[in-house]
Every structure is written in C-alpha cells, then in structure tokens.
Amino acid sequence: MATSGLSRTRALWRCVRAIGLVFRGLWTMHRHFGGATPEVRNRHIQTWSRDVLRVFGVSLGVRGMAPSGGLVVANHISWLDILVINAAQPVRFVSKSDVGRWPLLGKLVVEAGTLMIERTSRRDAMRVVHRMTDDLRLGHTVAIFPEGTTHDGSAVLPFHANLIQAAISAPCAVTPVGLSYWPSAQAEHTGAPKSLAAAFVGDMNLVQSVWSVLRRGPVHALVDWGEPQEAQGRDRRAWAAALEREVARLSQSQAPGHDEPMQDQHERRDAQACAPVQSRS
C-alpha cells in the first residue's frame, strides 16, 4: 500500500475529524430521523456525505442528470462509492449484510435506509427483489452494484442480473451511472491514469483502505449519470448486458469481454450470485 502523499500527522488529523463526523452522523440520525420526511432525511444524508468526502480530501464532479426515481446501477470500486453517489444524489442502496455489522459505520448504513441482502441465499435475494419492487413503485430511487465485488476501476465486471428483475417487475426505468477516481479534476482530460487510492481490492481490509485514502492525498471522484433506460421487452440478462456496457463507457473503463455467448455468461453470473463473494458494500 502506497504511503506517499500527506504526512502521517496530517493523515491522523483527518482520521480524527472523520471519526467525529461518524459520531455526528449517528447523533443526527437519532435526533432528526425519527419522524423526518424522506426529503429531510436525504438532505441530511447528502450534507453529511459531502462533509465526509471533504475531510478525506475527495472532491466531487458530477455530469448528467440524476434520476428522481427508479433503479440506479453503478460500477463498484470502493466503500467511497456510497458516499460519492449520496453526495451527488441521495438514494437507497442495496448492500451485503456484512456491511451492517461494521463498527459504527454499519449502524449509519442501516439507519440511512440501506436494504441488506444475504448474498449466499437465493431466498433472501428474492425477498430483496420484492422489497426493491415495492420501493420503486412508490417512486423511490434504489441503487445497486451489480458486479457483486469491488475492483480497481480499470474494467467493469459482468453484471449479476438478479436484482435488475425489480425494475422489470415495478416496472421502472434504470439509470446507469459511471464512477471513476482521478488524481485531480483536470486529470481525465490530460490522459493521466486514474487514481488507485480509493480502490478497495485484494486482501486489503476496511481500515487499510480508509488509511490509504487518508494518506495518499487529493482524489477527484467523478459521477457520470447516463440516460434512463426502459426494458423495451428485454429480460433481465439482456438488460444487464446493455447496462454494463453503458456503465463501462460512463466510467471510462474497459467493457466486459463476451467471448462466451451472452446468455451463457449471464446465466453463469446469476448462478455465482449465491456463492460467497468479496463484495465490500
């Protein structure tokens, strides 16, 4: 793990401020979320997310129009992804149940309205699809990371199609969004490589990843909203394939290879959805 960037002292000070924000978030939820409207809750979530990004030295860029409802699908690079999307447009996430057991952060995630899923259980996946469908019918915005794991951002992985069924059942539009991390706001225009500071991959644990972001200095997060898509008669696998290509374009990443037949590849990915994965959020 690289340690260039900020001095250890400055990184530790950032860490203290970040811990303070976690406790502030817990207090805000206890104090204001009880009878709050969705609009008030979202305003608190967006403000808090932007404050956390600022403490971590992450600037935010946004392109396109954020949706006001429907399903959102994004590539997945880091635990920062949730903060970055919520800073741009608060949504309701679907996350693996392990995240809810993270110290302090887990409670924040749960209280923010995240839907928890046991990825090793087909029955629980069906439960979450039904819950997502209900929320989508009510006009809520629900976000998923269909890759099922984090990566370094260089290429988008084939999407699991199971949860996309909720958009077909609702029915509603799906908005693809591409996430990318850069050394600066200007870097993407100069041909510079993407920043790896935010990548949560390999054997890295959460504490190591947080320290990496704190220590490695400025990072620019780019949220690129695509155009909402309707199913147009596609099943979830065909729709997932189209969405993953669009997310790859928006995130300036390599699209998944399709050397095997498209349907076979997505059937394999759906079958793997019930096996243990290394998803970080």
Side-chain angles (χ1 to χ4, degrees):
M1 180 173 56
T3 57
S4 61
L6 296 184
S7 68
R8 183 180 180 86
T9 301
R10 289 187 64 191
L12 284 171
W13 175 235
R14 277 186 173 182
C15 186
V16 170
R17 293 171 62 197
I19 292 172
L21 280 172
V22 170
F23 281 104
R24 194 191 84 185
L26 291 170
W27 181 87
T28 299
M29 289 177 173
H30 175 75
R31 180 73 174 81
H32 298 290
F33 274 31
T37 63
E39 291 76 16
V40 170
R41 290 166 64 100
N42 285 343
R43 189 161 60 246
H44 282 298
I45 289 170
Q46 186 173 44
T47 299
W48 184 85
S49 298
R50 289 178 174 178
D51 288 345
V52 174
L53 291 180
R54 192 175 300 112
V55 166
F56 274 86
V58 179
S59 60
L60 179 66
V62 180
R63 288 180 183 156
M65 183 74 68
S68 58
L71 186 65
V72 170
V73 297
N75 57 313
H76 200 14
I77 299 168
S78 173
W79 51 272
L80 275 174
D81 298 344
I82 292 177
L83 294 172
V84 167
I85 292 176
N86 272 335
Q89 173 70 29
V91 299
R92 186 171 197 181
F93 284 94
V94 177
S95 179
K96 70 169 188 171
S97 57
D98 291 0
V99 173
R101 294 189 284 270
W102 283 353
L104 295 179
L105 290 177
K107 183 172 178 59
L108 278 171
V109 170
V110 172
E111 292 296 327
T114 302
L115 297 174
M116 295 298 176
I117 182 172
E118 292 283 352
R119 290 189 180 273
T120 58
S121 169
R122 283 190 181 275
R123 179 175 297 180
D124 199 56
M126 292 177 61
R127 175 191 66 83
V128 171
V129 168
H130 289 311
R131 181 66 183 276
M132 289 171 60
T133 301
D134 291 341
D135 284 349
L136 293 169
R137 285 173 176 166
L138 290 172
H140 297 158
T141 308
V142 181
I144 61 174
F145 299 110
E147 292 163 296
T149 187
T150 52
H151 53 82
D152 65 6
S154 60
V156 169
L157 304 177
F159 282 6
H160 293 291
N162 290 350
L163 297 184
I164 294 172
Q165 181 61 43
I168 296 175
S169 300
C172 70
V174 178
T175 301
V177 60
L179 304 179
S180 56
Y181 295 89
W182 303 85
S184 68
Q186 296 76 32
E188 65 157 323
H189 304 295
T190 62
K194 294 178 181 178
S195 171
L196 297 178
F200 189 16
V201 293
D203 296 328
M204 183 181 291
N205 60 39
L206 179 63
V207 174
Q208 291 172 324
S209 180
V210 169
W211 183 248
S212 174
V213 177
L214 287 169
R215 189 75 190 273
R216 293 179 72 167
V219 175
H220 181 71
L222 179 61
V223 179
D224 198 343
W225 299 103
E227 292 295 324
Q229 298 185 12
E230 302 291 340
Q232 297 180 328
R234 293 173 288 192
D235 64 19
R236 66 175 186 261
R237 295 188 182 93
W239 203 359
L243 288 165
E244 69 191 22
R245 289 192 293 268
E246 181 63 3
V247 168
R249 184 186 70 81
L250 293 167
S251 63
Q252 303 180 49
S253 306
Q254 182 179 341
H258 297 297
D259 293 334
E260 61 185 302
M262 188 75 69
Q263 182 171 349
D264 291 347
Q265 185 178 75
H266 283 275
E267 285 176 350
R268 174 173 55 80
R269 289 289 290 174
D270 282 353
Q272 290 172 345
C274 291
V277 296
Q278 299 176 351
S279 177
R280 305 294 188 171
S281 58

